[in-house]
Amino acid sequence: MPDITKKVRVRFAPSPTGGLHLGGVRTVLFNYLFARKHSGDFILRIEDTDQNRYVEGAERYILDCLVWCGLNPDEGPKNGGPFAPYRQSERKANYRIYAEQLIRDGYAYYAFDTTEELDEQRQITPNFRYGHENRSFLRNSLNLTEEETKALLDQGIPHVIRIKVPADETLHFFDMIRGDVSFDTNLVDDKVLLKADGMPTYHLAVVVDDYLMKISHAFRGEEWLPSAPVHILLWEYLGWKADMPEWVHLPLILKPDGNGKLSKRDGDRLGFPVYAMNWKDPKTGETTRGFREMGYLPEAFVNMLALLGWNDGTEQEIFSMNELIEKFSIERVSKAGAKFDFEKAKWFNHEYIKKSEVAAIKDQVFAILEEKSIQIANDEYFIKVLSVVKERMIFLQDFWEQASFFFEQPVDYDLNAVKPKWADAKTEFFLELIKTYEAISGSEYWEALNLETVFKTLAEEKDIKPGELMLPFRVMLVGGKFGPGVFDIALLIGKKETISRIQKALIAFTED
């Protein structure tokens, strides 16, 4: 069970290096649900200490993604909070203080090895790892005298600070998903804590900031498990072990075949997005498609993510945010990776579009018409069309495919569906139908049920089965074998347009 005897404070700490992978959004979601369930705080902290990988605009993009998903932090770079600043680049001075403290206490050391010297070691020793096996003959303060070390520092010789990982020990910690986890320190290298530019690495910064921000539970992907021993040592060496957060290493989101972690390349290869929103790389100009721009509703996206690695123990699949908060528990998060199923992701979106109020999605859908430069006479007509077709939409962008014929006459017809069974009797039927529909006066009579009754009565008089006429009528109005009820279509486009389309289609149907 989670330790909630202390105030629950969780954080999402992304690096602003590019698009936000759906695995990252799921980490946000699980943080958010846990915090809300336990009346805690959800913090956004930007880990921008790796200046070589920093990408302009990525932080703004991350914030926009969280807003779109409705997962707004209680504290962060945008809205501040009692532990500001929330960008690590603005907390730089903190990290050296603690790195120097580790050196004084004998838990870290200065390393002056150049890149060339380390490359040479890698040539000599396959799988070279800076650690207890070799640090005694490398250029660091463990081998230099205090005077030599001070002289190098005074001269401004570039250096890093490394943690001194002990040999022949076994580290244990408890993970709320995986239970007891242990590591052999002989397999852990002396990680860099402070880089030559004075910026901390992730290892030092995450521990210092989690302590200073009073983080109670640390949610992160299982790919960070190998880093756990260094972090546990730092919590101990800095004297903060009693304040160490509960660990929660989340399962990976896997490729659809289950073989390995889902990547952007997999999405590109298989034709689905893996980012929350479109991401345009400012260096290459390449745009990577996102779930939002593909036409996903944020509620559907979040619901889908929640069930990648978690379930409430029932068959329920559709959850409101309040239900997710109420039912979420770490005990129901799986250890095993969760395979991403794009067909299932589409199902979630379809279900949410079907149950959405028209008013909730009309602005997003109307933007599709604007992109097509379609002018509509009034908003009421557009809303009626959306009401009729929304249950047929998997993505919001499907609106045009499902509804274009409400705004434009068909240019082409699926003649293969009609001409093989066409006959003069059908031509006569539709010519008579035009006259019958023309005779209908008053809008109260131009309604779906009446149009259907007139249609079937005329078919009976002509001794033709209505089923043989319905498909040609549909193709006349929409161009193909798709769309909502054909008499609903006729009702909406109106008498004049319905008759015009019958007349135009008859020419195409009867041409040799």
Side-chain angles (χ1 to χ4, degrees):
M1 293 292 292
D3 178 7
I4 53 171
T5 56
K6 54 185 176 181
K7 170 76 171 179
V8 168
R9 289 179 55 81
V10 296
R11 50 50 174 182
F12 177 58
S15 298
T17 57
L20 186 56
H21 187 277
L22 58 88
V25 184
R26 189 193 60 176
T27 300
V28 175
L29 175 61
F30 285 6
N31 270 294
Y32 182 89
L33 296 177
F34 187 80
R36 291 292 172 266
K37 176 154 189 171
H38 298 292
S39 302
D41 298 323
F42 167 52
I43 295 97
L44 175 66
R45 186 174 71 219
I46 301 298
E47 300 198 341
D48 59 347
T49 57
D50 190 343
Q51 295 298 297
N52 292 326
R53 297 179 63 228
Y54 177 82
V55 175
E56 190 69 36
E59 179 184 323
R60 176 71 265 169
Y61 167 88
I62 291 167
L63 292 169
D64 289 345
C65 286
L66 299 196
V67 169
W68 177 64
C69 292
L71 303 173
N72 298 302
D74 301 299
E75 303 169 23
K78 182 178 179 181
N79 50 333
F83 298 92
Y86 291 90
R87 294 184 188 89
Q88 287 185 335
S89 60
E90 298 172 9
R91 303 169 66 86
K92 183 177 177 180
N94 284 340
Y95 308 117
R96 177 166 286 278
I97 292 171
Y98 294 108
E100 298 282 1
Q101 175 187 322
L102 289 166
I103 291 176
R104 288 195 302 273
D105 294 341
Y107 297 125
Y109 56 92
Y110 298 107
F112 299 94
D113 316 88
T114 64
T115 301
E116 294 73 22
E117 288 169 341
L118 293 177
D119 286 341
E120 185 179 339
Q121 289 297 325
R122 294 185 183 98
Q123 294 294 324
I124 298 170
T125 307
N127 302 315
F128 169 77
R129 189 172 58 209
Y130 206 124
H132 72 276
E133 309 102 323
N134 52 33
R135 61 188 173 216
S136 60
F137 57 81
L138 296 172
R139 198 153 70 103
N140 56 60
S141 58
L142 298 176
N143 303 318
L144 301 169
T145 65
E146 286 189 26
E147 291 76 15
E148 290 171 328
T149 299
K150 184 176 184 304
L152 291 173
L153 294 174
D154 290 344
Q155 293 170 42
I157 300 300
H159 63 278
V160 300
I161 294 178
R162 291 180 179 271
I163 186 173
K164 185 180 177 183
V165 177
D168 305 321
E169 290 188 14
T170 301
L171 294 177
H172 297 271
F173 74 93
F174 180 79
D175 184 273
M176 293 176 65
I177 293 176
R178 295 157 204 287
D180 291 312
V181 181
S182 62
F183 287 95
D184 179 355
T185 59
N186 289 328
L187 302 178
V188 182
D189 54 327
D190 290 358
K191 297 291 187 187
V192 172
L193 302 179
L194 204 71
K195 294 177 284 187
D197 63 1
M199 278 292 190
T201 62
Y202 170 77
H203 306 293
L204 178 63
V206 72
V207 171
V208 169
D209 286 339
D210 279 356
Y211 171 73
L212 295 177
M213 293 183 179
K214 301 185 184 301
I215 299 303
S216 64
H217 298 78
F219 288 71
R220 59 187 183 182
E222 71 172 50
E223 62 268 33
W224 289 107
L225 265 173
S227 300
V230 172
H231 302 166
I232 290 164
L233 286 172
L234 287 173
W235 279 97
E236 180 180 341
Y237 291 166
L238 288 165
W240 302 334
K241 194 168 184 179
D243 298 303
M244 186 169 68
E246 301 284 329
W247 297 97
V248 187
H249 286 89
L250 301 173
L252 296 176
I253 296 178
L254 304 175
K255 301 176 185 183
D257 62 8
N259 295 319
K261 181 181 177 182
L262 181 70
S263 70
K264 173 183 171 296
R265 287 188 297 276
D266 297 314
D268 293 341
R269 175 172 57 88
L270 297 171
F272 57 75
V274 298
Y275 287 171
M277 291 167 30
N278 274 10
W279 165 251
K280 184 175 182 180
D281 190 317
K283 295 179 181 177
T284 66
E286 177 188 4
T287 296
T288 302
R289 184 171 53 166
F291 280 88
R292 183 183 71 171
E293 287 74 15
M294 193 172 188
Y296 274 79
L297 297 180
E299 300 87 353
F301 180 59
V302 166
N303 193 157
M304 177 269 294
L305 284 181
L307 295 187
L308 284 176
W310 171 85
N311 69 79
D312 73 337
T314 73
E315 296 299 314
Q316 183 175 346
E317 294 186 287
I318 301 297
F319 294 86
S320 68
M321 180 60 78
N322 287 336
E323 287 176 316
L324 286 173
I325 291 169
E326 177 188 347
K327 297 187 176 185
F328 182 77
S329 69
I330 300 298
E331 292 77 19
R332 298 296 309 177
V333 177
S334 171
K335 295 179 185 178
K339 288 192 289 188
F340 178 70
D341 183 344
F342 186 50
E343 292 304 312
K344 191 66 176 180
K346 286 160 49 175
W347 176 84
F348 275 108
N349 206 55
H350 187 205
E351 291 300 307
Y352 269 86
I353 289 177
K354 284 196 299 184
K355 74 187 190 74
S356 292
E357 296 291 335
V358 169
I361 61 174
K362 74 180 185 69
D363 290 344
Q364 295 158 276
V365 176
F366 188 76
I368 297 169
L369 291 182
E370 291 181 322
E371 290 173 7
K372 301 286 184 182
S373 300
I374 298 296
Q375 302 293 322
I376 58 174
N378 57 70
D379 196 48
E380 182 182 356
Y381 178 70
F382 164 67
I383 289 173
K384 286 180 179 178
V385 171
L386 180 54
S387 300
V388 168
V389 304
K390 76 183 182 74
E391 291 203 1
R392 311 176 70 84
M393 295 160 53
I394 294 175
F395 308 118
L396 294 179
Q397 269 65 18
D398 290 342
F399 176 74
W400 183 248
E401 180 182 342
Q402 295 292 340
S404 61
F405 52 83
F406 283 107
F407 306 96
E408 296 179 335
Q409 284 195 2
V411 176
D412 300 305
Y413 300 97
D414 184 356
L415 296 179
N416 290 331
V418 176
K419 293 195 75 169
K421 295 184 178 181
W422 194 256
D424 290 343
K426 292 182 180 180
T427 301
E428 293 173 9
F429 169 84
F430 282 103
L431 289 173
E432 188 67 28
L433 184 67
I434 290 172
K435 295 177 182 178
T436 306
Y437 278 177
E438 281 179 334
I440 294 176
S441 61
S443 59
E444 68 271 21
Y445 295 106
W446 189 267
E447 56 92 26
L449 182 59
N450 189 43
L451 296 176
E452 182 177 3
T453 301
V454 167
F455 186 96
K456 290 182 176 179
T457 300
L458 181 60
E460 186 177 343
E461 292 174 2
K462 298 292 184 182
D463 197 24
I464 305 174
K465 293 179 181 179
E468 295 181 19
L469 300 165
M470 293 288 282
L471 178 58
F473 189 34
R474 176 177 294 281
V475 175
M476 287 174 172
L477 298 188
V478 309
K481 300 183 289 184
F482 58 91
V486 69
F487 298 104
D488 292 323
I489 296 170
L491 167 66
L492 282 173
I493 64 176
K495 181 169 78 171
K496 181 180 179 181
E497 183 67 16
T498 297
I499 292 171
S500 172
R501 293 189 187 191
I502 296 172
Q503 292 170 330
K504 179 181 174 185
L506 278 176
I507 295 171
F509 290 3
T510 57
E511 285 179 341
D512 292 331

Short mmCIF file of all heavy atoms in Angstrom, two decimals, residues 279-326:
data_model
loop_
_atom_site.label_atom_id
_atom_site.label_comp_id
_atom_site.label_asym_id
_atom_site.label_seq_id
_atom_site.Cartn_x
_atom_site.Cartn_y
_atom_site.Cartn_z
N TRP A 279 4.55 17.56 -33.54
CA TRP A 279 5.81 18.16 -33.13
C TRP A 279 6.61 18.50 -34.36
O TRP A 279 6.92 17.62 -35.18
CB TRP A 279 6.60 17.21 -32.23
CG TRP A 279 8.04 17.63 -32.07
CD1 TRP A 279 9.14 17.02 -32.59
CD2 TRP A 279 8.52 18.78 -31.36
NE1 TRP A 279 10.28 17.71 -32.25
CE2 TRP A 279 9.93 18.79 -31.50
CE3 TRP A 279 7.90 19.79 -30.64
CZ2 TRP A 279 10.73 19.79 -30.92
CZ3 TRP A 279 8.69 20.79 -30.07
CH2 TRP A 279 10.08 20.77 -30.21
N LYS A 280 6.96 19.78 -34.50
CA LYS A 280 7.80 20.21 -35.61
C LYS A 280 9.20 20.47 -35.10
O LYS A 280 9.42 21.35 -34.26
CB LYS A 280 7.24 21.48 -36.26
CG LYS A 280 8.05 21.90 -37.50
CD LYS A 280 7.41 23.09 -38.21
CE LYS A 280 8.19 23.46 -39.46
NZ LYS A 280 7.57 24.61 -40.17
N ASP A 281 10.15 19.69 -35.58
CA ASP A 281 11.55 19.83 -35.16
C ASP A 281 12.10 21.13 -35.73
O ASP A 281 12.15 21.30 -36.96
CB ASP A 281 12.36 18.64 -35.67
CG ASP A 281 13.76 18.60 -35.08
OD1 ASP A 281 14.40 19.67 -35.00
OD2 ASP A 281 14.22 17.51 -34.70
N PRO A 282 12.51 22.08 -34.87
CA PRO A 282 12.98 23.37 -35.39
C PRO A 282 14.29 23.27 -36.15
O PRO A 282 14.63 24.16 -36.92
CB PRO A 282 13.14 24.22 -34.11
CG PRO A 282 13.33 23.24 -33.01
CD PRO A 282 12.52 22.03 -33.40
N LYS A 283 15.01 22.18 -35.96
CA LYS A 283 16.31 22.03 -36.65
C LYS A 283 16.13 21.44 -38.05
O LYS A 283 16.75 21.89 -39.01
CB LYS A 283 17.24 21.14 -35.82
CG LYS A 283 17.63 21.76 -34.48
CD LYS A 283 18.54 20.82 -33.68
CE LYS A 283 18.90 21.45 -32.33
NZ LYS A 283 19.74 20.53 -31.51
N THR A 284 15.27 20.43 -38.16
CA THR A 284 15.09 19.76 -39.45
C THR A 284 13.87 20.24 -40.21
O THR A 284 13.76 20.03 -41.41
CB THR A 284 14.98 18.24 -39.23
OG1 THR A 284 13.77 17.96 -38.51
CG2 THR A 284 16.17 17.71 -38.45
N GLY A 285 12.94 20.86 -39.49
CA GLY A 285 11.69 21.26 -40.11
C GLY A 285 10.71 20.12 -40.27
O GLY A 285 9.59 20.30 -40.76
N GLU A 286 11.09 18.91 -39.84
CA GLU A 286 10.23 17.74 -39.96
C GLU A 286 9.11 17.80 -38.93
O GLU A 286 9.33 18.09 -37.77
CB GLU A 286 11.06 16.46 -39.73
CG GLU A 286 10.24 15.19 -39.77
CD GLU A 286 11.05 13.97 -39.35
OE1 GLU A 286 12.22 14.13 -38.96
OE2 GLU A 286 10.49 12.86 -39.38
N THR A 287 7.90 17.50 -39.38
CA THR A 287 6.74 17.47 -38.49
C THR A 287 6.34 16.02 -38.23
O THR A 287 6.16 15.25 -39.18
CB THR A 287 5.54 18.22 -39.08
OG1 THR A 287 5.89 19.61 -39.21
CG2 THR A 287 4.31 18.10 -38.17
N THR A 288 6.23 15.67 -36.97
CA THR A 288 5.78 14.34 -36.57
C THR A 288 4.33 14.45 -36.11
O THR A 288 4.01 15.28 -35.27
CB THR A 288 6.65 13.78 -35.44
OG1 THR A 288 8.01 13.74 -35.86
CG2 THR A 288 6.21 12.36 -35.06
N ARG A 289 3.48 13.61 -36.67
CA ARG A 289 2.05 13.70 -36.41
C ARG A 289 1.71 13.31 -34.98
O ARG A 289 2.32 12.43 -34.38
CB ARG A 289 1.31 12.77 -37.38
CG ARG A 289 -0.20 12.84 -37.28
CD ARG A 289 -0.87 12.09 -38.40
NE ARG A 289 -0.38 10.71 -38.50
CZ ARG A 289 -0.99 9.77 -39.23
NH1 ARG A 289 -2.07 10.07 -39.90
NH2 ARG A 289 -0.51 8.56 -39.27
N GLY A 290 0.69 13.98 -34.42
CA GLY A 290 0.25 13.72 -33.07
C GLY A 290 -1.19 13.23 -33.03
O GLY A 290 -1.93 13.35 -34.01
N PHE A 291 -1.58 12.69 -31.88
CA PHE A 291 -2.94 12.20 -31.71
C PHE A 291 -3.96 13.32 -31.87
O PHE A 291 -5.03 13.13 -32.44
CB PHE A 291 -3.09 11.54 -30.33
CG PHE A 291 -2.56 10.14 -30.27
CD1 PHE A 291 -1.22 9.89 -29.96
CD2 PHE A 291 -3.39 9.07 -30.52
CE1 PHE A 291 -0.74 8.60 -29.90
CE2 PHE A 291 -2.91 7.76 -30.47
CZ PHE A 291 -1.58 7.54 -30.16
N ARG A 292 -3.65 14.51 -31.35
CA ARG A 292 -4.62 15.61 -31.43
C ARG A 292 -4.95 15.94 -32.88
O ARG A 292 -6.12 16.04 -33.26
CB ARG A 292 -4.08 16.86 -30.72
CG ARG A 292 -5.09 18.00 -30.71
CD ARG A 292 -4.54 19.26 -30.07
NE ARG A 292 -3.54 19.91 -30.90
CZ ARG A 292 -3.03 21.12 -30.66
NH1 ARG A 292 -3.42 21.79 -29.59
NH2 ARG A 292 -2.12 21.64 -31.45
N GLU A 293 -3.89 16.11 -33.69
CA GLU A 293 -4.10 16.52 -35.07
C GLU A 293 -4.71 15.39 -35.91
O GLU A 293 -5.29 15.65 -36.97
CB GLU A 293 -2.79 17.00 -35.68
CG GLU A 293 -2.32 18.35 -35.16
CD GLU A 293 -1.77 18.31 -33.73
OE1 GLU A 293 -1.49 17.18 -33.24
OE2 GLU A 293 -1.60 19.36 -33.12
N MET A 294 -4.56 14.16 -35.46
CA MET A 294 -5.19 13.05 -36.18
C MET A 294 -6.69 13.01 -35.93
O MET A 294 -7.42 12.32 -36.65
CB MET A 294 -4.54 11.73 -35.77
CG MET A 294 -4.88 10.57 -36.66
SD MET A 294 -3.91 9.10 -36.26
CE MET A 294 -4.35 8.03 -37.63
N GLY A 295 -7.14 13.76 -34.92
CA GLY A 295 -8.56 13.84 -34.67
C GLY A 295 -9.02 13.12 -33.43
O GLY A 295 -10.19 12.75 -33.31
N TYR A 296 -8.10 12.94 -32.47
CA TYR A 296 -8.47 12.31 -31.20
C TYR A 296 -9.04 13.35 -30.24
O TYR A 296 -8.54 14.48 -30.17
CB TYR A 296 -7.27 11.64 -30.55
CG TYR A 296 -7.02 10.24 -31.04
CD1 TYR A 296 -6.39 10.01 -32.25
CD2 TYR A 296 -7.44 9.12 -30.31
CE1 TYR A 296 -6.17 8.73 -32.72
CE2 TYR A 296 -7.22 7.84 -30.77
CZ TYR A 296 -6.59 7.65 -31.97
OH TYR A 296 -6.38 6.38 -32.44
N LEU A 297 -10.03 12.93 -29.49
CA LEU A 297 -10.51 13.74 -28.38
C LEU A 297 -9.58 13.50 -27.20
O LEU A 297 -9.16 12.36 -26.95
CB LEU A 297 -11.93 13.36 -28.00
CG LEU A 297 -13.00 13.59 -29.07
CD1 LEU A 297 -14.36 13.16 -28.54
CD2 LEU A 297 -13.04 15.04 -29.49
N PRO A 298 -9.24 14.53 -26.45
CA PRO A 298 -8.31 14.34 -25.33
C PRO A 298 -8.82 13.35 -24.30
O PRO A 298 -8.05 12.59 -23.72
CB PRO A 298 -8.16 15.75 -24.74
CG PRO A 298 -9.32 16.54 -25.26
CD PRO A 298 -9.64 15.94 -26.59
N GLU A 299 -10.15 13.33 -24.07
CA GLU A 299 -10.71 12.40 -23.09
C GLU A 299 -10.50 10.95 -23.53
O GLU A 299 -10.23 10.06 -22.71
CB GLU A 299 -12.21 12.66 -22.91
CG GLU A 299 -12.55 14.05 -22.42
CD GLU A 299 -12.69 15.08 -23.53
OE1 GLU A 299 -12.40 14.75 -24.71
OE2 GLU A 299 -13.10 16.22 -23.23
N ALA A 300 -10.62 10.71 -24.84
CA ALA A 300 -10.42 9.36 -25.37
C ALA A 300 -8.95 8.96 -25.27
O ALA A 300 -8.62 7.81 -24.94
CB ALA A 300 -10.89 9.29 -26.82
N PHE A 301 -8.06 9.91 -25.58
CA PHE A 301 -6.62 9.66 -25.51
C PHE A 301 -6.21 9.30 -24.08
O PHE A 301 -5.49 8.32 -23.84
CB PHE A 301 -5.89 10.91 -25.99
CG PHE A 301 -4.39 10.82 -25.97
CD1 PHE A 301 -3.73 9.85 -26.71
CD2 PHE A 301 -3.64 11.72 -25.23
CE1 PHE A 301 -2.34 9.77 -26.70
CE2 PHE A 301 -2.26 11.65 -25.21
CZ PHE A 301 -1.61 10.68 -25.96
N VAL A 302 -6.71 10.07 -23.12
CA VAL A 302 -6.37 9.81 -21.71
C VAL A 302 -6.94 8.48 -21.24
O VAL A 302 -6.27 7.70 -20.57
CB VAL A 302 -6.89 10.98 -20.83
CG1 VAL A 302 -6.87 10.61 -19.36
CG2 VAL A 302 -6.04 12.23 -21.07
N ASN A 303 -8.19 8.19 -21.61
CA ASN A 303 -8.82 6.93 -21.22
C ASN A 303 -8.02 5.75 -21.78
O ASN A 303 -7.76 4.75 -21.08
CB ASN A 303 -10.26 6.92 -21.74
CG ASN A 303 -11.12 5.82 -21.15
OD1 ASN A 303 -12.33 5.92 -21.14
ND2 ASN A 303 -10.54 4.73 -20.68
N MET A 304 -7.63 5.85 -23.05
CA MET A 304 -6.85 4.79 -23.68
C MET A 304 -5.53 4.57 -22.97
O MET A 304 -5.12 3.43 -22.68
CB MET A 304 -6.62 5.16 -25.16
CG MET A 304 -5.75 4.19 -25.94
SD MET A 304 -3.97 4.62 -25.92
CE MET A 304 -3.94 6.17 -26.82
N LEU A 305 -4.84 5.66 -22.61
CA LEU A 305 -3.55 5.56 -21.92
C LEU A 305 -3.69 4.92 -20.55
O LEU A 305 -2.83 4.15 -20.11
CB LEU A 305 -2.92 6.94 -21.77
CG LEU A 305 -2.29 7.56 -23.02
CD1 LEU A 305 -1.69 8.92 -22.67
CD2 LEU A 305 -1.21 6.66 -23.60
N ALA A 306 -4.77 5.25 -19.85
CA ALA A 306 -4.96 4.72 -18.50
C ALA A 306 -4.99 3.21 -18.49
O ALA A 306 -4.52 2.57 -17.53
CB ALA A 306 -6.26 5.27 -17.90
N LEU A 307 -5.50 2.61 -19.57
CA LEU A 307 -5.63 1.15 -19.61
C LEU A 307 -4.42 0.47 -20.24
O LEU A 307 -4.43 -0.73 -20.48
CB LEU A 307 -6.90 0.77 -20.38
CG LEU A 307 -8.21 1.21 -19.71
CD1 LEU A 307 -9.40 0.64 -20.44
CD2 LEU A 307 -8.26 0.80 -18.25
N LEU A 308 -3.37 1.23 -20.51
CA LEU A 308 -2.10 0.64 -20.94
C LEU A 308 -1.26 0.37 -19.70
O LEU A 308 -0.45 1.19 -19.28
CB LEU A 308 -1.37 1.59 -21.90
CG LEU A 308 -1.91 1.65 -23.33
CD1 LEU A 308 -1.16 2.70 -24.13
CD2 LEU A 308 -1.81 0.30 -24.02
N GLY A 309 -1.49 -0.77 -19.09
CA GLY A 309 -0.72 -1.13 -17.91
C GLY A 309 -1.50 -1.07 -16.61
O GLY A 309 -0.95 -1.41 -15.56
N TRP A 310 -2.76 -0.62 -16.68
CA TRP A 310 -3.59 -0.56 -15.46
C TRP A 310 -5.00 -1.00 -15.81
O TRP A 310 -5.48 -0.79 -16.93
CB TRP A 310 -3.64 0.87 -14.91
CG TRP A 310 -4.64 1.03 -13.79
CD1 TRP A 310 -4.45 0.77 -12.46
CD2 TRP A 310 -6.00 1.49 -13.91
NE1 TRP A 310 -5.60 1.03 -11.75
CE2 TRP A 310 -6.58 1.47 -12.62
CE3 TRP A 310 -6.78 1.90 -14.98
CZ2 TRP A 310 -7.89 1.85 -12.37
CZ3 TRP A 310 -8.10 2.27 -14.75
CH2 TRP A 310 -8.64 2.25 -13.45
N ASN A 311 -5.68 -1.62 -14.85
CA ASN A 311 -7.12 -1.86 -14.97
C ASN A 311 -7.69 -1.89 -13.57
O ASN A 311 -6.97 -2.04 -12.58
CB ASN A 311 -7.41 -3.16 -15.71
CG ASN A 311 -7.00 -4.38 -14.91
OD1 ASN A 311 -7.71 -4.81 -13.99
ND2 ASN A 311 -5.83 -4.94 -15.23
N ASP A 312 -8.99 -1.73 -13.48
CA ASP A 312 -9.61 -1.66 -12.15
C ASP A 312 -10.11 -3.02 -11.67
O ASP A 312 -10.78 -3.10 -10.64
CB ASP A 312 -10.75 -0.63 -12.14
CG ASP A 312 -11.98 -1.12 -12.89
OD1 ASP A 312 -11.83 -2.00 -13.76
OD2 ASP A 312 -13.08 -0.63 -12.60
N GLY A 313 -9.79 -4.07 -12.43
CA GLY A 313 -10.21 -5.41 -12.03
C GLY A 313 -11.58 -5.81 -12.53
O GLY A 313 -12.06 -6.90 -12.22
N THR A 314 -12.22 -4.94 -13.32
CA THR A 314 -13.52 -5.25 -13.90
C THR A 314 -13.40 -5.23 -15.42
O THR A 314 -12.32 -5.05 -15.97
CB THR A 314 -14.58 -4.23 -13.47
OG1 THR A 314 -14.36 -2.98 -14.16
CG2 THR A 314 -14.54 -3.98 -11.97
N GLU A 315 -14.54 -5.38 -16.10
CA GLU A 315 -14.56 -5.34 -17.56
C GLU A 315 -14.77 -3.92 -18.09
O GLU A 315 -14.82 -3.71 -19.30
CB GLU A 315 -15.68 -6.25 -18.09
CG GLU A 315 -15.49 -7.72 -17.76
CD GLU A 315 -14.22 -8.29 -18.36
OE1 GLU A 315 -13.97 -8.03 -19.56
OE2 GLU A 315 -13.48 -9.00 -17.64
N GLN A 316 -14.91 -2.97 -17.19
CA GLN A 316 -15.16 -1.60 -17.62
C GLN A 316 -13.98 -1.06 -18.43
O GLN A 316 -12.82 -1.29 -18.09
CB GLN A 316 -15.40 -0.70 -16.41
CG GLN A 316 -15.73 0.75 -16.78
CD GLN A 316 -16.08 1.60 -15.56
OE1 GLN A 316 -16.31 1.07 -14.48
NE2 GLN A 316 -16.13 2.91 -15.73
N GLU A 317 -14.29 -0.33 -19.52
CA GLU A 317 -13.24 0.24 -20.36
C GLU A 317 -13.38 1.76 -20.53
O GLU A 317 -12.38 2.44 -20.74
CB GLU A 317 -13.25 -0.42 -21.74
CG GLU A 317 -12.87 -1.89 -21.71
CD GLU A 317 -12.74 -2.47 -23.11
OE1 GLU A 317 -13.79 -2.67 -23.76
OE2 GLU A 317 -11.61 -2.71 -23.55
N ILE A 318 -14.59 2.26 -20.45
CA ILE A 318 -14.79 3.70 -20.60
C ILE A 318 -14.89 4.32 -19.21
O ILE A 318 -15.76 3.96 -18.41
CB ILE A 318 -16.07 4.00 -21.40
CG1 ILE A 318 -15.99 3.37 -22.79
CG2 ILE A 318 -16.31 5.50 -21.49
CD1 ILE A 318 -14.88 3.92 -23.67
N PHE A 319 -13.97 5.24 -18.92
CA PHE A 319 -13.91 5.89 -17.61
C PHE A 319 -13.88 7.40 -17.79
O PHE A 319 -13.10 7.93 -18.59
CB PHE A 319 -12.63 5.50 -16.86
CG PHE A 319 -12.53 4.06 -16.47
CD1 PHE A 319 -12.02 3.12 -17.35
CD2 PHE A 319 -12.92 3.63 -15.20
CE1 PHE A 319 -11.90 1.78 -17.00
CE2 PHE A 319 -12.81 2.30 -14.84
CZ PHE A 319 -12.30 1.37 -15.73
N SER A 320 -14.67 8.10 -17.03
CA SER A 320 -14.52 9.55 -16.93
C SER A 320 -13.28 9.84 -16.09
O SER A 320 -12.75 8.96 -15.40
CB SER A 320 -15.75 10.17 -16.28
OG SER A 320 -15.81 9.78 -14.90
N MET A 321 -12.84 11.08 -16.12
CA MET A 321 -11.68 11.44 -15.30
C MET A 321 -11.98 11.21 -13.83
O MET A 321 -11.12 10.70 -13.08
CB MET A 321 -11.28 12.89 -15.56
CG MET A 321 -10.07 13.34 -14.73
SD MET A 321 -8.57 12.38 -15.05
CE MET A 321 -8.05 13.12 -16.61
N ASN A 322 -13.15 11.56 -13.39
CA ASN A 322 -13.50 11.35 -11.98
C ASN A 322 -13.48 9.87 -11.61
O ASN A 322 -13.05 9.50 -10.51
CB ASN A 322 -14.87 11.96 -11.67
CG ASN A 322 -14.83 13.47 -11.62
OD1 ASN A 322 -13.76 14.06 -11.38
ND2 ASN A 322 -15.96 14.11 -11.83
N GLU A 323 -13.93 9.03 -12.52
CA GLU A 323 -13.90 7.59 -12.26
C GLU A 323 -12.47 7.08 -12.20
O GLU A 323 -12.14 6.23 -11.36
CB GLU A 323 -14.68 6.84 -13.34
CG GLU A 323 -16.18 7.00 -13.25
CD GLU A 323 -16.90 6.32 -14.40
OE1 GLU A 323 -16.44 6.46 -15.57
OE2 GLU A 323 -17.90 5.65 -14.15
N LEU A 324 -11.62 7.57 -13.08
CA LEU A 324 -10.21 7.16 -13.05
C LEU A 324 -9.56 7.54 -11.72
O LEU A 324 -8.84 6.75 -11.12
CB LEU A 324 -9.45 7.79 -14.22
CG LEU A 324 -9.71 7.21 -15.61
CD1 LEU A 324 -9.00 8.06 -16.67
CD2 LEU A 324 -9.26 5.77 -15.70
N ILE A 325 -9.84 8.75 -11.27
CA ILE A 325 -9.27 9.21 -9.99
C ILE A 325 -9.77 8.33 -8.85
O ILE A 325 -8.98 7.90 -7.99
CB ILE A 325 -9.63 10.69 -9.75
CG1 ILE A 325 -8.90 11.58 -10.76
CG2 ILE A 325 -9.29 11.10 -8.32
CD1 ILE A 325 -9.39 13.03 -10.76
N GLU A 326 -11.04 8.04 -8.87
CA GLU A 326 -11.63 7.25 -7.79
C GLU A 326 -11.07 5.82 -7.76
O GLU A 326 -10.79 5.27 -6.68
CB GLU A 326 -13.15 7.19 -7.96
CG GLU A 326 -13.87 6.34 -6.93
CD GLU A 326 -15.34 6.15 -7.25
OE1 GLU A 326 -15.86 6.87 -8.12
OE2 GLU A 326 -15.96 5.26 -6.63
#
